[in-house]
């Protein structure tokens, strides 16, 4: 996403953060290879404890990660880093149907207890001090673009770590995740939301 944003917005300066050191190093390698280092900085940082100055950014972009904090808490925490006319783009896991099988609902809620439907996500965004400008449900194609290469990589790793029970257990969990989506793709997806600061809403600092 960092590379895509840099290429789509050639006049922008970007700060990318991740808490996992190897991911930070890989991002730097790719940015250097794309000759974007003059505009893109990568920092090792925890999104739950960012230390940027208030009003630092025009845009915050977060795909597939806000759920770690809970979307409302994440949006409240990050709001102060945006300029007064700043915007945020993020994704959130949502139910697409009310009649979700109990086993599926239980599995997902064990992973993310705050998972809700599309309208609840919009309501939480508004409650965090934003005005939703637009949203859309990610199509199945997006999931396959993510899962298909992952499935192939899993089989490679399974051969490489054939005698490692811990590695095999981790790979089995990823297989379960992929299989669960394939069997229930009509029940849940990600909602992509773009929102702007609602200047009529009170600013609050989130306490963690």
């Amino acid at each position: 996403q960092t590379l895509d944003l840099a290429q789509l917005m050639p006049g922008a300066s970007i700060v990318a953060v991740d808490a996992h050191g190897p991911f930070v190093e890989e991002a730097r390698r790719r940015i250097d290879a794309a000759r974007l280092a003059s505009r893109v900085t990568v920092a090792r940082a925890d999104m739950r404890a960012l230390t940027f100055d208030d009003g630092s950014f025009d845009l915050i972009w977060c795909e597939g990660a806000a759920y770690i904090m809970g979307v409302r808490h994440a949006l409240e925490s990050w709001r102060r880093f945006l300029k007064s006319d700043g915007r945020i783009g993020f994704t959130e896991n949502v139910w697409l149907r009310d009649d979700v099988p109990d086993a599926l609902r239980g599995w997902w809620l064990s992973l993310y207890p705050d998972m809700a439907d599309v309208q609840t996500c919009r309501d939480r965004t508004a409650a965090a001090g934003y005005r939703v400008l637009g949203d859309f449900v990610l199509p199945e194609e997006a999931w396959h673009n993510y899962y298909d290469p992952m499935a192939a990589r899993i089989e490679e790793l399974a051969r490489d770590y054939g005698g490692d029970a811990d590695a095999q257990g981790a790979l089995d969990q990823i297989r379960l995740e992929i299989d669960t989506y394939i069997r229930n793709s009509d029940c849940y997806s990600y909602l992509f939301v773009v929102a702007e600061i609602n200047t009529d809403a009170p600013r609050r600092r989130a306490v963690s």
Side-chain angles (χ1 to χ4, degrees):
Q1 293 91 341
T2 300
L3 289 172
D4 287 341
L5 288 169
Q7 291 162 355
L8 289 167
M9 298 186 294
S13 296
I14 297 172
V15 180
V17 300
D18 199 287
H20 188 50
F23 289 170
V24 171
E25 293 307 314
E26 177 63 14
R28 287 175 177 156
R29 185 191 67 77
R30 295 188 186 191
I31 288 163
D32 287 343
R35 299 182 179 179
L36 292 169
S38 63
R39 293 197 293 113
V40 182
T41 302
V42 185
R44 185 173 183 179
D46 188 336
M47 68 179 183
R48 295 168 293 190
L50 297 175
T51 58
F52 299 110
D53 292 336
D54 290 4
S56 293
F57 301 108
D58 300 290
L59 171 67
I60 292 176
W61 190 277
C62 181
E63 290 188 51
Y67 76 92
I68 294 171
M69 297 174 63
V71 66
R72 180 169 175 179
H73 180 54
L75 296 181
E76 288 176 346
S77 297
W78 300 337
R79 187 178 174 215
R80 69 187 182 92
F81 300 124
L82 287 169
K83 297 177 181 179
S84 59
D85 58 349
R87 298 182 177 185
I88 188 164
F90 68 96
T91 59
E92 171 71 336
N93 291 302
V94 292
W95 298 115
L96 302 179
R97 293 168 40 179
D98 294 330
D99 58 338
V100 175
D102 290 341
L104 175 64
R105 188 178 294 275
W107 181 77
W108 254 112
L109 294 183
S110 71
L111 302 172
Y112 185 33
D114 287 340
M115 186 165 168
D117 59 17
V118 170
Q119 188 55 51
T120 299
C121 181
R122 293 170 180 155
D123 293 342
R124 288 173 177 172
T125 303
Y130 297 82
R131 183 181 295 106
V132 174
L133 299 176
D135 58 50
F136 64 91
V137 174
L138 264 62
E140 287 192 36
E141 178 185 3
W143 289 83
H144 285 289
N145 287 342
Y146 177 65
Y147 278 145
D148 291 352
M150 182 184 292
R153 180 61 174 153
I154 287 171
E155 299 315 312
E156 292 177 5
L157 293 173
R159 292 190 294 270
D160 293 342
Y161 293 91
D164 188 325
D166 290 338
Q168 294 297 328
L171 295 174
D172 285 343
Q173 288 299 311
I174 302 173
R175 288 190 184 99
L176 174 61
E177 178 185 334
I178 295 172
D179 182 63
T180 298
Y181 177 75
I182 291 172
R183 290 185 289 106
N184 300 280
S185 60
D186 61 330
C187 292
Y188 66 90
S189 188
Y190 270 113
L191 183 71
F192 195 104
V193 181
V194 176
E196 65 181 359
I197 287 181
N198 182 356
T199 55
D200 295 329
R203 276 187 176 272
R204 295 179 295 176
R205 287 183 180 268
V207 178
S208 58

